[in-house]
């Protein structure tokens, strides 16, 4: 497998959106892959959460990195999270 690298933008989004680099890497390795805009791919993976995020309790956190697949690496350009 190609190395996974997070852009600075993606690193900042992790902090703002309640995830971390380990979860992003797991999503890329184990998540469901589908096409996204502009030739990118989105990977989605659900994690058991059972915690409070911004004042509300959620059972599941979905992490969805957006990735540019280059010949020598997988570059995560941004990260989305959804809480359920």
């Amino acid at each position: 497998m190609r190395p996974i690298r997070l852009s600075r933008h993606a690193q900042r989004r992790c902090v703002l959106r309640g995830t971390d680099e380990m979860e992003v890497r797991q999503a890329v390795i184990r998540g469901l892959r589908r096409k996204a805009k502009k030739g990118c791919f989105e990977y989605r993976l659900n994690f058991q959460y059972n915690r409070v995020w911004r004042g509300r309790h959620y059972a599941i956190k979905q992490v969805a990195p957006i990735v540019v697949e280059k010949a020598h690496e997988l570059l995560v350009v941004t990260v989305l999270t959804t809480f359920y």
Side-chain angles (χ1 to χ4, degrees):
M1 176 170 221
R2 293 172 277 186
I4 301 167
R5 182 170 63 92
L6 277 71
S7 68
R8 286 186 184 172
H9 174 81
Q11 291 170 354
R12 288 190 301 261
R13 290 296 175 240
C14 284
V15 174
L16 293 174
R17 295 182 174 156
T19 190
D20 58 33
E21 189 171 333
M22 184 182 76
E23 289 177 336
V24 170
R25 289 180 184 279
Q26 287 181 13
V28 172
I29 292 167
R30 298 179 20 227
L32 179 66
R33 178 180 178 261
R34 69 180 192 174
K35 287 186 178 184
K37 294 180 181 179
K38 301 181 182 178
C40 295
F41 290 89
E42 176 187 70
Y43 293 80
R44 286 185 180 209
L45 186 63
N46 291 342
F47 294 90
Q48 284 297 123
Y49 191 64
N50 292 319
R51 285 188 251 160
V52 174
W53 170 252
R54 296 189 177 172
R56 290 188 58 191
H57 183 269
Y58 296 97
I60 304 291
K61 173 172 60 173
Q62 183 177 83
V63 178
I66 306 299
V67 177
V68 174
E69 296 186 353
K70 298 185 174 191
H72 61 285
E73 71 179 356
L74 301 175
L75 176 62
V76 179
V77 293
T78 195
V79 179
L80 307 172
T81 57
T82 306
F83 293 87
Y84 301 101

